[in-house]
Amino acid sequence: MLTAEEISRVTIFANLDRGACERLAQAAADISLRSGEYAVAEGGERALFAVLKGRIEAVKLVDGIERVVGERRPGDIFGEVPITLGTGFPVGFRAAEQSRVMQIEPHDYHAVVALEPDVGKEVGRLASERIGGTGGLQGLAAEPPAPRAIVVGHRLDPSCTELRRFLDRNQITFSWVQPDAPNAAQQWGGPLPPEEDCPVIRVVDGKTVVRPQLRRVAELLDLGTEPVAAEYDTVIIGAGPAGLAAGVYGASEGLRTIVVEREAPGGQAGTSSRIENYLGFPSGVSGEELASRALQQARRLGAEILVTREITRLDTAARQVHLDGGDVLRAQTIILACGVAWRQFSVEGFDRLRGTGISYGAAPSEAASTHGLDVHIVGAGNSAGQAAMFFSNHARSVTILCRADGLEKSMSRYLIDQLAARSNIHVLCRTEVVGAHGDTSLEAIDVRNAATGETSRLQSDGLFVLIGADAETAWLPPEIALDGHGFVLTGPDVRAAGRWGLERDPYLLETSAPGIFACGDVRLGPVKRVASAVGEGSMAIAFVHQYIRDTEDRLDDGVAAQAVKSARH
């Protein structure tokens, strides 16, 4: 329990009278921390802390790596910036050793300041120091994170495009050297690799790999590719919004949780340049930022995240997940959050030019490669509108090609208004792409006007296709019931399809295989919104708990029945 004497040993409270110290001792929380435990995470709600014992590190996540940017010792405070500005914590604070801190809530702090204005002045002065100067938050923000890798490859090389997209989606800062750039050798730091070896990646420790597989890149960058255990309470397949939400809630509620992702966390939402209508972000948030925050949160709470791992087989009876490479994960429950993939275009020239000017989806990382070019986007939904807005900051012109009469039925009003306000964004309605041309890269596209039937050729330096999505379920075993479009049936839909064999009803998100759940876009019926996917991911964990409890109860009943039977004999 805090005492007035301990309060008075905190520097800013040294001049408080005994009565004020006693009131503060009664109001403040007394928190003991183990080494590595956080007093408050980055982004946490405002409060003022003081160190009573031990040592506290200020930690900032930069480019996926935790950096220690300061420390506090007994008598020091932290939280002066949030308490002064009314913001969340710009950095996290964790114990570097066994420590003890006191936490003062904002209303208690302001009560002290009302009686002792000098305390508020001192906290404000400290906040100003923390924010300003090269050693403060401004200096930290102005200091660009050192690249963790350098990549050599051509803009229109599909392998280089795939590598750059992978690094971006995993929040890895890297330098990209185009071999034909005037200072390419200087950027690389020596003679460039031969053309036939590109793309080439070199990581910060000096290891260089030519034409790397993504798994090898993930291993070089310690992204997490190997499970640490063989048995889990729940295995989550897919790390989009639904999968990450399930990971956060599962880990936070004490479940042994692992998330397996084929490429990179974030799903389709992670490639969105801007999500304007996600609750709690009044200025909008990029898909990358949202995915990054969710990933940090899941890892901090104890969820394992594997990337670049494919599922080769799902054994529904044994609830085993077989990974490429031979690893087998055994689980009490499995959550399918594998999402959807961009729908493919069956148009002459598309397959040949894919990756050399034609892309499915539109990751923000590709915007820089459109600088000064004329690009086209096929699609009429929010994803297409967001991509057009982002690319218009780089490209000379962006043209949206839409088969419908207008965008009103498929795109949010705020996006339509934003598109109309950009002078270099154009919209062609009742128009479809019927051909693509170019020798080694995209040079032009053929479009047909649905009203007149006329076909014309447009010069194009880049074509991004966002025309809807198909469920990623071709790999699932037949025990998992699907609808005619490949989406997973759950809950009442499973029973209605005659695919449920137990006496009890399936849980709302339970598939036709008991103990296996589905959430997010892969499931039949949900609204295709990030918020609904996050909600379903958290809801899936509630059903996981219920399933585990029911299973344990049945086992207990079976043991009891066997004991009675044995006693009778």
Side-chain angles (χ1 to χ4, degrees), residues 401-469:
L401 306 174
C402 166
R403 296 179 63 180
D405 293 334
L407 302 175
E408 288 76 9
K409 292 182 179 180
S410 54
M411 189 179 293
S412 296
R413 185 72 244 175
Y414 76 87
L415 263 178
I416 296 174
D417 293 340
Q418 289 177 357
L419 295 175
R422 288 289 175 96
S423 60
N424 64 334
I425 295 180
H426 314 285
V427 180
L428 295 181
C429 296
R430 305 195 69 184
T431 302
E432 60 179 331
V433 180
V434 294
H437 305 277
D439 293 330
T440 58
S441 63
L442 180 68
E443 297 173 4
I445 57 174
D446 290 336
V447 298
R448 182 168 56 221
N449 185 297
T452 65
E454 294 181 357
T455 298
S456 57
R457 182 162 297 183
L458 305 177
Q459 299 303 306
S460 181
D461 300 305
L463 183 67
F464 300 90
V465 183
L466 301 93
I467 56 169

Side-chain angles (χ1 to χ4, degrees), residues 241-242 245-247 249-250 253 509 519 532-543:
Y249 279 86
E253 294 174 14
L509 299 183
C519 58
S532 63
V534 170
E536 288 193 7
S538 61
M539 194 191 310
I541 294 300
F543 292 127

Side-chain angles (χ1 to χ4, degrees), residues 283-535:
S283 300
V285 62
S286 71
E288 179 184 15
E289 173 69 11
L290 193 63
S292 176
R293 287 172 178 246
L295 186 61
Q296 293 174 40
Q297 193 174 20
R299 283 177 169 154
R300 180 175 64 82
L301 292 168
E304 281 184 60
I305 312 290
L306 299 189
V307 297
T308 69
R309 298 305 298 266
E310 294 266 6
I311 311 296
T312 59
R313 186 163 71 90
L314 185 64
D315 186 333
T316 59
R319 281 191 293 281
Q320 292 181 343
V321 178
H322 295 251
L323 305 180
D324 57 349
D327 291 313
V328 179
L329 306 178
R330 295 185 296 276
Q332 292 196 65
T333 61
I334 296 169
I335 298 175
L336 304 177
C338 39
V340 293
W342 291 112
R343 190 166 298 147
Q344 305 293 294
F345 236 7
S346 180
V347 172
E348 182 181 354
F350 264 53
D351 289 343
R352 182 173 59 84
L353 295 172
R354 182 174 182 177
T356 60
I358 295 179
S359 299
Y360 288 94
S365 59
E366 296 181 85
S369 64
T370 67
H371 185 73
L373 304 179
D374 299 309
V375 301
H376 295 78
I377 295 174
V378 182
N382 280 1
S383 295
Q386 290 159 354
M389 288 298 299
F390 193 72
F391 282 7
S392 68
N393 295 323
H394 301 266
R396 180 169 60 184
S397 71
V398 179
T399 303
I400 296 177
L401 306 174
C402 166
R403 296 179 63 180
D405 293 334
L407 302 175
E408 288 76 9
K409 292 182 179 180
S410 54
M411 189 179 293
S412 296
R413 185 72 244 175
Y414 76 87
L415 263 178
I416 296 174
D417 293 340
Q418 289 177 357
L419 295 175
R422 288 289 175 96
S423 60
N424 64 334
I425 295 180
H426 314 285
V427 180
L428 295 181
C429 296
R430 305 195 69 184
T431 302
E432 60 179 331
V433 180
V434 294
H437 305 277
D439 293 330
T440 58
S441 63
L442 180 68
E443 297 173 4
I445 57 174
D446 290 336
V447 298
R448 182 168 56 221
N449 185 297
T452 65
E454 294 181 357
T455 298
S456 57
R457 182 162 297 183
L458 305 177
Q459 299 303 306
S460 181
D461 300 305
L463 183 67
F464 300 90
V465 183
L466 301 93
I467 56 169
D470 295 318
E472 289 267 55
T473 54
W475 61 276
L476 289 174
E479 291 84 0
I480 304 292
L482 310 175
D483 79 338
H485 298 286
F487 290 93
V488 178
L489 301 180
T490 58
D493 290 330
V494 170
R495 187 174 284 284
R499 295 293 301 274
W500 186 249
L502 301 184
E503 290 185 7
R504 69 167 176 86
D505 287 335
Y507 300 119
L508 181 62
L509 299 183
E510 195 168 19
T511 70
S512 53
I516 299 180
F517 302 85
C519 58
D521 288 354
V522 75
R523 188 177 77 86
L524 174 65
V527 177
K528 306 302 184 192
R529 290 288 186 270
V530 176
S532 63
V534 170

Side-chain angles (χ1 to χ4, degrees), residues 78-362:
F78 57 95
E80 59 272 26
V81 173
I83 205 75
T84 300
L85 301 182
T87 62
F89 273 79
V91 299
F93 288 90
R94 71 181 179 199
E97 57 190 51
Q98 189 81 20
S99 301
R100 182 168 165 244
V101 301
M102 58 179 284
Q103 178 181 350
I104 307 168
E105 295 297 334
H107 62 275
D108 294 316
Y109 164 75
H110 291 302
V112 171
V113 170
L115 297 174
E116 298 288 342
D118 287 344
V119 170
K121 292 178 182 178
E122 179 63 11
V123 170
R125 184 189 67 79
L126 290 171
S128 179
E129 287 183 1
R130 302 293 186 207
I131 295 171
T134 56
L137 293 172
Q138 288 181 350
L140 181 64
E143 177 189 348
R148 295 179 62 190
I150 182 170
V151 173
V152 178
H154 289 282
R155 180 177 76 88
L156 294 176
D157 178 355
S159 297
C160 184
T161 300
E162 181 185 40
L163 175 58
R164 289 187 290 112
R165 180 179 287 203
F166 175 78
L167 293 172
D168 266 310
R169 294 197 60 196
N170 280 282
Q171 289 101 47
I172 301 298
T173 300
F174 67 97
S175 298
W176 172 32
V177 178
Q178 298 191 58
D180 52 0
N183 60 343
Q186 181 181 352
Q187 288 180 276
W188 177 247
L192 292 175
E195 289 277 340
E196 60 270 19
D197 286 346
C198 291
V200 177
I201 185 171
R202 184 172 67 215
V203 296
V204 289
D205 65 0
K207 292 179 181 175
T208 301
V209 182
V210 302
R211 300 185 301 279
Q213 298 294 315
L214 297 185
R215 173 80 57 79
R216 178 59 177 149
V217 174
E219 291 169 350
L220 287 172
L221 295 167
D222 295 322
L223 292 181
T225 60
E226 299 294 334
V228 300
E231 296 188 7
Y232 295 88
D233 292 320
T234 189
V235 173
I236 301 163
I237 301 173
L244 288 174
V248 166
Y249 279 86
S252 69
E253 294 174 14
L255 297 176
R256 292 169 299 168
T257 303
I258 186 170
V259 183
V260 182
E261 168 58 43
R262 181 179 60 188
E263 184 182 356
Q268 277 196 354
T271 67
S272 176
S273 57
R274 204 75 186 161
I275 302 171
E276 298 282 4
N277 54 1
Y278 192 77
L279 186 67
F281 292 88
S283 300
V285 62
S286 71
E288 179 184 15
E289 173 69 11
L290 193 63
S292 176
R293 287 172 178 246
L295 186 61
Q296 293 174 40
Q297 193 174 20
R299 283 177 169 154
R300 180 175 64 82
L301 292 168
E304 281 184 60
I305 312 290
L306 299 189
V307 297
T308 69
R309 298 305 298 266
E310 294 266 6
I311 311 296
T312 59
R313 186 163 71 90
L314 185 64
D315 186 333
T316 59
R319 281 191 293 281
Q320 292 181 343
V321 178
H322 295 251
L323 305 180
D324 57 349
D327 291 313
V328 179
L329 306 178
R330 295 185 296 276
Q332 292 196 65
T333 61
I334 296 169
I335 298 175
L336 304 177
C338 39
V340 293
W342 291 112
R343 190 166 298 147
Q344 305 293 294
F345 236 7
S346 180
V347 172
E348 182 181 354
F350 264 53
D351 289 343
R352 182 173 59 84
L353 295 172
R354 182 174 182 177
T356 60
I358 295 179
S359 299
Y360 288 94

